Structures are given as structure tokens and as C-alpha cells.
Amino acid sequence: MTMIEAINDAMHVALEQDPQVVVFGQDVGFFGGVFRATEGLQRKHGIERVFDTPIAEGGIVAIAVGMGAYGKRPVVEIQFADYIYPATDQLISEAARLRYRTAGEWWSPITVRSPYGGGIFGGQTHSQSPEGIFAHVAGLKTVIPSTPYDAKGLLIAAIEDDDPVLFFEPKRLYNGPFDGHHDRPVMPWSGHPASEVPEGHYSIPLGQANIVRPGADVSVLAYGTMVHVALAAAESTAVDAEVIDLRSLVPLDLGTITRSVQKTGRCVVVHEATRTCGFGAELAALVQEHCFFDLEAPVERVTGWDTPYPHAFEWEYFPGPKRLGDALKRILEV
Amino acid sequence: MLRNHPGLHVPEPLCRPGDEADFSRFTIPAAGALRRPPVHVDPAEIRDFAFSLVRVLDDGDHAVGEWAPNLRIDVLHKGLRAMLLTRAYDTRMVRVQRQGKTSFYMKSTGEEAVAVAAALALDNADMCFPTYRQQGLLIARDWPLTDMMNQVYSNSGDRLKGRQMPVFYSSREAGFFSISGNLATQYSQAVGWAMGAATDGDERIAAAWIGEGATAEGDFHYALTFASVYRAPVILNIVNNQWAISSFSGIAGGEAAPFAARGLGFGIPALRVDGNDFLAVYAVTHWAATRARAGLGPTLIELFTYRAEGHSTSDDPTRYRPGSEPAAWPLGDPIDRLKRHLIQLGAWSEDEHVSLVEELARHVKESGREAEALGTLKEGKRPPVSTMFDDVFRDMPAHLIAQRAQAGV
């Protein structure tokens, strides 16, 4: 199963299991979404549970907050994460704080799905990674899968969660794993162990990282597409890296991170988002706080540059296996 | 206004401090002049309602015309009582703010009919998404004053655990949605709530209120779009009290067209109502609620009223408008008008009025004493500081448990 099929399957399961689940957003109804994530949902679950909305991201999230307060469990799609900014007031000031400001009287059990990241020549309006902005907000959960298996299990967990969850989907991984070697043929998900997706209901608890490659020399903290880049970098450099897929930024599995860094003594953080105030800064600070006396080298960050995402130069912007591999070699020399 | 040179038109009110109050630009139609259409009317047939004013009480305090709701005397008494109680509560709360017992307050003086008449025209189970100055909804729904005061004081009895500024009430039980300081956010949320109810075949409807200034926010336009598209069972109220802090209604676009006319482009029935006329507000709200419950979709109501006092205790309105303006407001005071109507009906007297005002003042004072015994912002008991870390998420995550320990609470 591809990641897009796994995401679609997760919504089928959620709609089947809980009559309060509703799915809506631009183009998600009849057409099934521009990336086909909601294909067949309306046909199977009816037009009142899966429907198209006006092009108004702020409105879509506001409607979700209101429906959530009513007692529904809305799952909404923002077509590209780049378009989420009109909805930030509803996400940051409303959804994130409704439980707090009412002392638990109301809450926002909403899931906001959105494709993010580069690698499809989307230029600066179809490539951004805004996860750090939302991870910074008290009251929001931020989840990012890296495989079909995780995508289904994490999305079901997100939908079942009573807190507002931003579920960012690495769109470059929708139809196949991508390790950053853009000049090689596209790989399919078939044959990849994590493309074996069980039927029916299962969930992966939010806040549990996954060690996708055990290693002894350096801990690589990654999520989304960068998990595959990290594996490729470890392979191409022959560095014995321990690659940790964080899966969710909030809640964060700090225990797995600190145990790993205490073992390896070195840490490289990798993400596609711009560097300054990115989530990598938080990870580096946490590692410094908790593992200072175990560290044999300063924590390194490999990230997108502090520029908007360019169209023609996206592979120069994208932190691929070469840049990460260089960092791995460099940190071992310290 | 004609211009003889290209340039920026920055709207200005007709008068400023030092000038005589001037409401000459308002056309006030006679009470009873407008017809009352059936609830299933095609919105296209009542476009004129967005530019006129539904009025029921005439200058002789009679209820006239097709919109007269023929309410039972006990409902009129309940309305008068709730409006008087709202005013007495506001008066007391401003005094305690001046005494330093809380940080801030906002009165609804002159606008009491907007909330109270709506509350009585709606079912108690309907969900309200208010903005500031609809405390009358809670009071008309008999919500305890002490609970409201505890919130104003952020004291140990505050169900919101001292997290919200004063007047940012919330009561799920009273159908009063949590107030947000980010304006207009509740407007589109109300439409979402109504869509949820429609999906379930629930008979309850939603009602939302917004100030005329906040109609400029994106959420106002999202709300109208979604309400229109999905025919949500919602009443969208615009409280045009003429002033958004120091900005007169022209700055929000009220000079170009009435706020009610915003509904026309969405195909939503849009009515302008004399917001200081209890009977008119009741009648139009009830009409809109009947429409919504019948599956006919949303209604937009502009309540034409006047903010008789400052925006808040932090505001001095004499800095930006004539001091004589509140007294010159041509639509009068909602409490006085309902009182005179009841007297005209032979169902009320000056003596009964005086003793009711005294009774309510005593009630407010006693409630105040009860609330202050639970603490004020400056003195007495507060919620435990450790609760600061509760309710960020349903279950407290590890990093907040660690931070709570670090805070030593």
C-alpha cells in the first residue's frame, strides 16, 4: 500500500468506526482530493459526512472548531501546508486554547491534514514545512509520518485524539519512499517493509519515536522525508548512525532521544524547514540540556536554508544525503 | 460624497468632542411601517429590509404593526427584569473595577435589549456564540451572578481557573460559548456548530453576535459564505453600536452601505432592527429562529443601537465623541422604552419599577458579597497555581509535568 492509500484507508476506518467523524476541505468530496487522499470516502460514507468546502482555509478550520464544540470529530484537509496561514488564528488562538480557556468545558477534537515539504517543483508556495510554527504553540499536537504503516496508525490515533492535531504529510513520500537521490529512478512503496499495512483498525500512540536504524556512532533525529534521507546518508558514508524517526514533534519522545544520544555521544538534527527557530533548534537545546556530559561534539543541524523554497534550485535547497553525509563525517572527526 | 480631486477618502463622523451631537444622517422609519413576511420568503423579496429598520414601539409606547409579537405580560416582565439586572450588574462591576478588585470591565449600557430579547426569543437549549456586551444572555437565562462575578474576579470559585480576562465568560450549561479576544472567531465557529446540529437533525440552532467593527475580519466573511452554502441553522447578529473603541462605524464600511446589506450578496435574508426596541428584537429573532428550525437556513440581523458608555473601563469616550451624544441617541433607552410600554398597557407602574430596581440592586450586592468571599483579583483565595498547567491537553504530557515541577507548584 502506498502512503496515500494508507491515509485514505485510515479515514475509511475512522468514518466507519465513529459516526461523529466528518471529513471536509477543498476538493475532498466528489473528486477525492488533488492528491487522491479522500478518494471514495464520499461515495461510501455519504455527502453529509464527506464534503467539499469553499476555498477558505480560515473558514474550514473555524467550521471544524465549531463542529468539534458541537460534538463532531472533524478531519479537515488543507490542500497544501503553504495555504494554512489564513487558518493560523483559528488554530493558534482558538483550537489550541479552547480547552484551556474553558477549563475543560469545551475542546477541539480536530485533525488538520496537510501535505507539506518540497521535492515536487512546487516553488515557494507549494513546498513549505511549517511544522515548527505549530510545534511552538501550546495546545497543539504536531504529527508527521514517514511510511504507509505509520501514516495509517498515526492518522487513526490523531483522529481519535481529543486534542487538536496537525498532521503533516510529506507529499514527496505519497507514492514512494524518497531518499533525496533525485537523479535516480523513482522508487515504489511495494517491497518496502513499511508498506505492509494491516486492514482495519490499528493505531500508533502519539509521542513514541521509532528507531529505524540502530547504530553506535551518532544519533540522527529526523521525521518525514528526512528519515529516508538519513538512512541513505548512513548507507553512503558507512557511518554507523542511529536513525530516529520522531513521528510526532508534540508530544515528543524525549526518552528515546536522550537514551540514544547518551549511547552514541553525538547528534545531528535534520529537517527540511528553514533553520532559524526551526524545530531542530528545540531538539538541539533539549539534547544539550539532557545529554551535555555525554556529548563528544556539538549538536549539528542540517536543514533547509533560511530562504523561501526556490523553484529552479530546489535540489540545492533540499537537505539531501550528501549534505547530511558530510555532517555525519564531520561530527565524527570532532 | 463627491470629490474634486483623486485622493484617499478617510471616513470621519459628523461630530467630534466640542461639537453638538448630530445623528441627522440616520433615517428612522416609523414604527410598524414594515411588513412582516412569511418565514419561507424568498430573500430576494425582502432586500429592502437591509436598508430600513424594523420597529414595533412607537413614540406613544404602543406596539404597532405586523411585527408586534403580542407577548404575554409575564414575558415582558421577565425581559424588563433581566435588562434591569444586567444594568445593575454592570454598574456594580464597574465600581469594583474602580476599587481595584479586578482589572477590567465592559458595560452593555444601552444595548441590554440586544441580548435579553434574543435570549427570550431563543430556546434555552440553543447555543449562543457571543462577543462582548452580551452578558444579558446569561442573565436572561438565569445564570447565577456569583458565577459571573467569580470569573470577573478570577477567584477560587472561578470555573475558568483564573485564565480569562473579566467578561470573557463561558458556560456550556447555559449555552454560552467561550468568549475570545480575537474578534470574529466565534462567528464562523457558530456556523460550524450549526452545521453539526443540521447533520444530526438536531432541533437546536446556533446564534452568533459580532460588533459592527469586527465585520471587517475574515471570519465574518467565512461565516456568511459557509452559512449560505450549507444553509446552516444559525442566526448571525451584527450589533451596530456605532463605535469600535474610538472608530466610528464608517471605518468598518458602514458609510458605504448598512451592515445588514452584507448579507444580500450571500442570498441570506438580512434585516435591520431597532436594537433599542425590545419587542422588535424579540420579533425578528423569533422569526429568524423559526426559519432556522424549519431548515430554511441562516438569517443576518443588524441590531441598530448605541454604545452609551465607553468601550471598557480602559476607555474614555469623551476623547473622541461629543459628551452629549449618548443622550441625543434618537432611538432612546431600551429599558425606559419597555418600561413605558408596560405602563401604557397598565401592567406596570413607577412604584413597582422603583421597588424592582431596589430589589435587583440588593440581589447584585448580595451576590457580590458571596463572590468576594471567594476572593478578588487582588485579595483572598485564588485557584491553586498548579492548575496553570492543567487543560493544555486532555492528558498532561511529560514536558508539562516537568515544567510544573520546575515551577515548584
Side-chain angles (χ1 to χ4, degrees), chain A:
Chain A
M1 197 180 272
T2 67
M3 183 183 278
I4 202 78
E5 288 164 343
I7 287 164
N8 180 269
D9 195 31
M11 284 186 277
H12 269 297
V13 170
L15 282 157
E16 249 160 44
Q17 298 217 331
D18 183 352
Q20 298 308 326
V21 172
V22 284
V23 174
F24 54 93
Q26 293 160 233
D27 300 306
V28 308
F30 183 81
F31 182 54
V34 291
F35 288 102
R36 322 304 303 151
T38 55
E39 184 155 32
L41 296 182
Q42 186 179 74
R43 207 162 48 245
K44 187 163 180 199
H45 304 282
I47 200 164
E48 279 192 284
R49 296 189 67 199
V50 182
F51 56 87
D52 290 312
T53 64
I55 303 171
E57 292 79 9
I60 291 168
V61 174
I63 294 303
V65 172
M67 275 191 154
Y70 175 80
K72 298 284 170 189
R73 202 173 273 284
V75 183
V76 302
E77 178 177 301
I78 300 297
Q79 207 158 71
F80 284 88
D82 311 66
Y83 305 161
I84 211 163
Y85 304 112
T88 45
D89 189 36
Q90 286 287 341
L91 287 167
I92 294 174
S93 313
E94 301 294 312
R97 295 190 214 143
L98 189 56
R99 184 190 295 280
Y100 192 74
R101 78 183 199 214
T102 66
E105 203 170 44
W106 271 288
W107 57 93
S108 288
I110 69 172
T111 303
V112 179
R113 292 181 38 248
S114 195
Y116 88 104
I120 62 155
F121 286 98
Q124 41 82 38
T125 59
H126 296 77
S127 309
Q128 295 176 69
S129 301
E131 69 275 9
I133 294 170
F134 297 102
H136 184 61
V137 176
L140 293 178
K141 290 180 175 171
T142 304
V143 177
I144 302 176
S146 69
T147 65
Y149 177 86
D150 278 9
K152 180 175 173 183
L154 289 169
L155 182 53
I156 288 175
I159 295 170
E160 291 174 348
D161 199 288
D162 282 340
D163 297 315
V165 182
L166 284 145
F167 193 84
F168 287 116
E169 299 166 2
K171 57 182 168 287
R172 193 64 178 75
L173 302 183
Y174 272 158
N175 294 307
F178 177 65
D179 61 10
H181 288 296
H182 57 93
D183 44 356
R184 295 181 187 172
V186 175
M187 292 178 283
W189 274 113
S190 57
H192 192 286
S195 68
E196 295 288 321
V197 175
E199 278 184 26
H201 181 278
Y202 70 93
S203 65
I204 299 171
L206 306 183
Q208 280 187 12
N210 187 23
I211 301 174
V212 292
R213 183 193 190 281
D217 290 344
V218 52
S219 303
V220 180
L221 309 184
Y223 51 88
T225 314
M226 290 302 130
V227 172
H228 303 271
V229 170
L231 292 171
E235 196 183 319
S236 63
T237 54
V239 171
D240 192 14
E242 178 147 298
V243 177
I244 299 175
D245 178 357
L246 299 178
R247 283 175 165 162
S248 80
L249 310 188
V250 181
L252 182 69
D253 185 353
L254 186 59
T256 296
I257 294 169
T258 52
R259 277 191 299 277
S260 174
V261 178
Q262 280 159 4
K263 180 180 77 177
T264 62
R266 290 179 167 85
C267 181
V268 175
V269 176
V270 58
H271 60 60
E272 203 177 330
T274 49
R275 176 170 306 181
T276 302
C277 298
F279 196 71
E282 177 63 26
L283 291 169
L286 284 169
V287 167
Q288 185 273 138
E289 269 173 43
H290 293 272
C291 309
F292 184 74
F293 294 104
D294 303 289
L295 284 173
E296 293 172 39
V299 179
E300 275 237 27
R301 283 185 287 168
V302 178
T303 68
W305 308 120
D306 280 348
T307 71
Y309 218 111
H311 181 240
F313 307 116
E314 72 172 0
W315 297 121
E316 286 73 18
Y317 178 95
F318 189 89
K322 169 77 169 63
R323 254 162 66 196
L324 179 57
D326 289 348
L328 293 179
K329 286 186 275 187
R330 201 161 52 238
I331 200 171
L332 282 179
E333 286 164 12
V334 178

Side-chain angles (χ1 to χ4, degrees), chain B residues 102-374:
Chain B
T102 189
S103 56
F104 176 85
Y105 193 75
M106 300 174 104
K107 295 172 90 171
S108 61
T109 311
E111 300 174 49
E112 290 90 346
V114 167
V116 170
L120 299 186
L122 294 168
D123 285 347
N124 273 346
D126 292 334
M127 183 58 73
C128 298
F129 287 79
T131 180
Y132 317 127
R133 275 181 262 283
Q134 279 88 54
Q135 52 266 53
L137 290 169
L138 282 167
I139 289 172
R141 284 182 167 181
D142 298 322
W143 191 248
L145 294 187
T146 43
D147 189 88
M148 297 167 69
M149 289 169 167
N150 291 342
Q151 197 276 316
V152 170
Y153 286 137
S154 283
N155 66 14
S156 60
D158 176 13
R159 290 179 300 102
L160 308 183
K161 301 183 186 171
R163 291 168 186 166
Q164 288 270 48
M165 272 173 71
V167 314
F168 283 50
Y169 309 105
S170 176
S171 170
R172 193 177 183 119
E173 202 183 326
F176 187 100
F177 191 75
S178 158
I179 288 181
S180 178
N182 292 41
L183 295 183
T185 54
Q186 82 288 354
Y187 219 59
S188 38
Q189 291 164 0
V191 175
W193 194 98
M195 287 168 65
T199 311
D200 277 7
D202 192 330
E203 285 199 354
R204 291 177 297 162
I205 64 169
W209 286 260
I210 193 170
E212 89 284 350
T215 59
E217 295 277 7
D219 273 305
F220 173 76
H221 301 270
Y222 299 145
L224 265 62
T225 302
F226 281 74
S228 165
V229 168
Y230 302 106
R231 290 190 201 156
V234 63
I235 303 175
L236 297 168
N237 295 291
I238 302 168
V239 185
N240 178 3
N241 68 8
Q242 316 301 328
W243 291 96
I245 308 188
S246 71
S247 301
F248 90 116
S249 58
I251 290 294
E255 201 180 52
F259 293 97
R262 308 288 190 272
L264 298 180
F266 294 88
I268 297 176
L271 301 90
R272 259 170 126 227
V273 185
D274 176 348
N276 289 18
D277 180 340
F278 179 90
L279 294 174
V281 175
Y282 184 100
V284 171
T285 306
H286 192 265
W287 185 87
T290 308
R291 272 180 51 78
R293 260 184 260 282
L296 294 165
T299 304
L300 184 74
I301 302 173
E302 177 185 344
L303 298 128
F304 200 67
T305 184
Y306 183 80
R307 194 193 75 211
E309 302 224 8
H311 169 75
S312 74
T313 48
S314 308
D315 175 38
D316 175 7
T318 64
R319 302 283 294 274
Y320 51 80
R321 68 186 189 189
S324 59
E325 212 185 71
W329 175 246
L331 295 174
D333 178 82
I335 295 179
D336 287 348
R337 286 174 72 188
L338 183 58
K339 171 192 156 189
R340 290 201 309 267
H341 175 58
L342 276 162
I343 291 173
Q344 180 272 323
L345 288 174
W348 198 238
S349 69
E350 288 290 353
D351 287 349
E352 283 174 297
H353 196 80
V354 169
S355 64
L356 179 60
V357 168
E358 284 169 4
E359 178 205 322
L360 296 175
R362 274 197 305 277
H363 174 46
V364 170
K365 202 171 175 184
E366 280 159 22
S367 305
R369 229 177 263 139
E370 264 177 59
E372 290 188 26
L374 297 172

